Amino acid sequence: MKVIDLHTASLKGKRVCDLPCGAGLFSKQLQDRGAEVYAFDIENVQPYCGPKEKRVLADANDSLPVASNTFDLIVSIEGIEHVENGSHLLREMSRCLRDNNSTIVISTPNVDSFRSRIVTIWKGYPKYFNPVDMENKTSGHLQPVDMVFMHGAAKRAGLEIVDIQTVPNNRDKGLMLWFQELVRPWVTKSLPGKMQDKIPFYGDVIIYVLKKSG
């Protein structure tokens, strides 16, 4: 909610999309802040705690069942890594966004972090994307979403990334933090400039804030 407060004014009377909504806990928080919440999810999660009047069962792999230029804010918490085509989802979000002052907030596992890179070296897969069998990955994840993909897919969808933040990991402190800072210039030197800083090097979760470009 802190990221949303940084980039939006009062939610009172605003049309907000929560996708995926899961059990509706965050949808309820948005409604309690005065938003008109439209909650989407592929599963009929029960018990459901959010506003039921505008809850819709929908597959984010398809077109969203809503008119263009509808929402002042679209929030997707840990959703884009669950769809088959993240580029399609961003295009749909862009279509449904009301105008250039409206906002999209997306969070996803931070596969560009130092910790995720270490996991990839040892296990062959980014953190949170290890296979549980020959057809499925942990937590129902499908595609790891890295920073380069997000920048390219956002641009193609007519969106601009206006802010990127990470959720701190409590283990990134003390001796471990000292070591990671020591090796950060070396392990990031071949990456684009925006990827050589502390974001996205730290944190298990990364948050993107987007608006319509132009």
Side-chain angles (χ1 to χ4, degrees):
M1 192 67 80
K2 290 182 180 179
V3 175
I4 293 174
D5 291 339
L6 282 174
H7 293 276
T8 62
S10 170
L11 293 179
K12 189 174 182 179
K14 299 291 181 65
R15 285 187 175 181
V16 178
C17 170
D18 183 14
L19 168 73
C21 62
L25 295 174
F26 194 68
S27 294
K28 186 178 186 307
Q29 291 184 43
L30 293 167
Q31 185 184 54
D32 291 344
R33 297 281 291 273
E36 179 184 356
V37 181
Y38 293 72
F40 297 85
D41 205 292
I42 193 172
E43 294 185 16
N44 184 18
V45 179
Q46 296 295 336
Y48 181 71
C49 307
K52 297 179 174 62
E53 60 272 13
K54 288 177 178 152
R55 183 192 185 195
V56 179
L57 296 182
D59 188 348
N61 291 298
D62 302 324
S63 297
L64 298 177
V66 65
S68 299
N69 310 315
T70 295
F71 298 119
D72 300 291
L73 171 66
I74 299 175
V75 181
S76 181
I77 300 175
E78 310 297 295
I80 191 170
E81 69 275 6
H82 290 267
V83 301
E84 297 170 357
N85 189 335
S87 294
H88 171 75
L89 179 61
L90 287 173
R91 288 194 295 270
E92 276 297 285
M93 288 181 172
S94 180
R95 176 184 69 81
C96 296
L97 212 59
R98 188 188 295 277
D99 54 37
N100 291 1
N101 294 318
S102 304
T103 305
I104 298 170
V105 178
I106 295 174
S107 73
T108 189
N110 183 13
V111 297
D112 290 308
S113 72
F114 180 72
R115 193 178 301 278
S116 184
R117 295 183 203 183
I118 294 298
V119 171
T120 303
I121 292 172
W122 288 106
K123 295 187 176 181
Y125 292 87
K127 191 174 183 181
Y128 304 121
F129 289 88
N130 55 292
V132 295
D133 55 42
M134 284 302 297
E135 297 179 357
N136 301 285
K137 297 178 183 178
T138 186
S139 302
H141 292 169
L142 293 180
Q143 305 287 347
V145 179
D146 60 59
M147 183 178 280
V148 174
F149 169 82
M150 276 297 298
H151 275 81
K155 184 176 182 179
R156 291 187 290 272
L159 298 167
E160 178 185 2
I161 297 174
V162 298
D163 190 18
I164 305 173
Q165 299 187 27
T166 54
V167 178
N169 189 309
N170 291 331
R171 290 167 291 183
D172 291 333
K173 58 184 179 181
L175 182 62
M176 177 58 71
L177 180 60
W178 174 85
F179 173 73
Q180 291 179 111
E181 274 298 282
L182 180 67
V183 301
R184 180 166 59 87
W186 179 71
V187 299
T188 63
K189 63 182 179 180
S190 64
L191 297 175
K194 289 184 178 180
M195 298 180 67
Q196 295 179 16
D197 207 340
K198 293 182 179 181
I199 294 177
F201 197 73
Y202 298 108
D204 285 345
V205 174
I206 190 164
I207 303 170
Y208 295 93
V209 181
L210 307 96
K211 293 182 179 291
K212 283 190 174 181
S213 57

